[in-house]
Amino acid sequence: VAASIPGVELAVTEGAALEAQGFGCIWGVGKAAESPPALVVLKHRKERVEGDDSSSKKKAVALVGKGITYDTGGLALKPKEGMCGMKHDCDGSAALLAAFACAAAAGTYGEYDALYCVLCIAENAIGPKATRHDDILTSFSGRTIEINNSDAEGRLVLADGVAYATRPGGLAGAEEEVGGDAAAAASWPPVAVVLDMCTLTGAQMISTGKRIASLVCDDDAVEARAIRAGMLSGDLARPLPFVPEWHKQEFKSVVADMKNSVKDRGNAQSSCAATFIYQHLDSAYEGAWLHVDMAGPSVAAERATGYGVALVLAFLGVPPFSWGDAAVLQSTPHEPVMGSHSCAKASLHAIQETDPPGRFSVRPADEPHNARAARAAPSSPRRAEIPHAKSND
């Protein structure tokens, strides 16, 4: 992609360098494999207009993909039936790479000024170097994770990915790694939206089925935009509950900040897995976070479907999906769709209609439904206050 599309920049960190640079989760998942794990970062920005000095108003989207090239389950080895098809565990990264390539080739992606793609690549293999249950990994966020299920590895690599994507200056630093200078790196716009995509949980198929992905988001407008992008593109997606103050309790550990797998598998597994990733966003990050679990729709008849490429292009407003964006893709606060439209009967008319406030909720029309508003309220817990020490958890 970097070689074939003008303006794309590439940086790769692989092998033991991951551990040295703080990517303890990607390294922990992939260190037993013959092919070393890697963090791949691609960047593209729109052509700058002569005399444009509005860099402070510019914003970017970071796409973060789970790229488990093969998942044996690690030392929690999958049964023979469950292991077949695990070559598809990189479908999240594959979709985001393809979407990034299309958007970069088009040279435009809606109101955003730059596009980043962070691919978390590892093979979850078994061997003498494999991460063991009871091991403790330290993610790029600085949080420690007690491993209680080596087959819950996707959330681990994504923890490093989103932590890196949301660290102030993190993605700008990738330019320095490939020969750019500090001034050029600083010219890259900050991340306004992090979109992670992954084949994360089998429970996703119980939640929204084999043809519709699950969304978890901390921003009403971004969530609604993703739902409508799914309707436009045919890559359908619907939201799940997002209650981090409840769901993070499933990961309590007495020796680390958290475990990597839930205590109760009957308690909103897909929402809990998303919450695990959410806890690794940088505490200084003020943008939105959108999680897409596409375990079901990524595969059909034992073949990859390519799900997610069109969804992301529609979300970004890349042509031809840019038409009608004033009604469909505009990022302005409004009541989310919350599954109100029938996917099978969705039409352009229905897509472009605005749902009446409060129609699908008993809360007041001006009361947000998720943690984004809670983050901004002084009396509510903020992400910065999610404790890093177990004693305060």
Side-chain angles (χ1 to χ4, degrees):
V1 171
S4 61
I5 301 175
V8 173
E9 300 184 8
L10 170 69
V12 180
T13 304
E14 64 179 338
L18 289 165
E19 183 179 32
Q21 294 182 32
F23 299 101
C25 291
I26 298 176
W27 171 246
V29 170
K31 64 182 179 179
E34 183 175 352
S35 298
L39 181 79
V40 178
V41 178
L42 299 106
K43 301 166 52 176
H44 184 271
R45 60 184 163 193
K46 294 177 181 176
E47 292 186 9
R48 279 173 279 190
V49 178
E50 189 73 25
D52 181 9
D53 59 353
S54 60
S55 58
S56 62
K57 298 179 182 179
K58 295 183 181 298
K59 56 185 179 179
V61 174
L63 309 174
V64 183
K66 171 188 172 182
I68 302 300
T69 56
Y70 198 82
D71 183 15
T72 66
L75 293 181
L77 191 65
K78 294 179 182 289
K80 61 180 182 180
E81 297 86 0
M83 199 182 300
C84 293
M86 284 299 106
K87 61 186 177 183
H88 294 295
D89 219 13
C90 61
D91 285 354
S93 272
L96 292 185
L97 177 60
F100 173 87
C102 291
T108 183
Y109 15 85
E111 72 269 32
Y112 301 104
D113 303 286
L115 190 61
Y116 307 126
C117 185
V118 180
L119 307 177
C120 308
I121 310 298
E123 178 186 350
N124 190 20
I126 56 175
K129 296 181 180 179
T131 293
R132 301 174 297 273
H133 290 194
D134 298 335
D135 281 354
I136 295 177
L137 304 181
T138 302
S139 82
F140 193 81
S141 69
R143 295 181 142 233
T144 54
I145 304 162
E146 178 188 358
I147 303 302
N148 63 334
N149 182 2
S150 65
D151 197 20
E153 82 297 328
R155 66 198 67 184
L156 292 172
V157 300
L158 287 172
D160 275 354
V162 300
Y164 179 67
T166 57
R167 186 190 71 176
L171 285 167
E175 184 168 304
E176 296 180 14
E177 293 168 20
V178 291
D181 55 46
S187 69
W188 285 85
V191 175
V193 178
V194 170
L195 187 160
D196 76 69
M197 184 173 287
C198 48
T199 51
L200 196 64
T201 63
Q204 175 273 310
M205 288 177 273
I206 298 172
S207 301
T208 55
K210 294 183 178 180
R211 296 190 177 185
I212 304 173
S214 295
L215 304 175
V216 179
C217 188
D218 70 348
D219 183 287
D220 280 341
V222 170
E223 180 183 271
R225 178 171 175 146
I227 295 168
R228 288 183 164 88
M231 290 179 176
L232 274 175
S233 65
D235 282 355
L236 299 171
R238 290 290 163 178
L240 296 180
F242 177 53
V243 193
E245 60 270 32
W246 289 352
H247 294 150
K248 72 174 186 176
Q249 304 304 319
E250 288 290 339
F251 300 100
K252 278 196 169 183
S253 167
V254 299
V255 294
D257 292 323
M258 65 190 74
K259 294 183 179 181
N260 76 311
S261 190
V262 294
K263 178 180 179 181
D264 182 359
R265 296 180 69 83
N267 183 20
Q269 273 195 70
S270 295
S271 290
C272 287
T275 299
F276 178 93
I277 297 167
Y278 173 80
Q279 291 185 84
H280 294 273
L281 300 179
D282 194 279
S283 61
Y285 176 63
E286 296 182 349
W289 165 73
L290 174 65
H291 166 81
V292 184
D293 189 344
M294 32 79 91
S298 67
V299 179
E302 301 183 23
R303 300 294 295 272
T305 62
Y307 179 94
V309 181
L311 174 67
V312 172
L313 294 177
F315 180 86
L316 295 172
V318 176
F321 295 111
S322 56
W323 60 266
D325 56 4
V328 182
L329 297 177
Q330 192 72 355
S331 184
T332 54
H334 60 281
E335 184 74 8
V337 190
M338 295 300 287
S340 59
H341 297 299
S342 165
C343 295
K345 297 181 180 179
S347 63
L348 294 181
H349 176 71
I351 293 167
Q352 293 175 341
E353 285 184 341
T354 300
D355 293 320
R359 179 180 173 192
F360 303 103
S361 175
V362 295
R363 67 182 182 278
D366 59 348
E367 180 183 340
H369 83 289
N370 60 27
R372 180 138 182 94
R375 238 165 52 197
S379 60
S380 301
R382 296 174 60 87
R383 178 161 53 227
E385 296 168 357
I386 296 178
H388 282 243
K390 191 273 154 192
S391 57
N392 295 325
D393 195 303

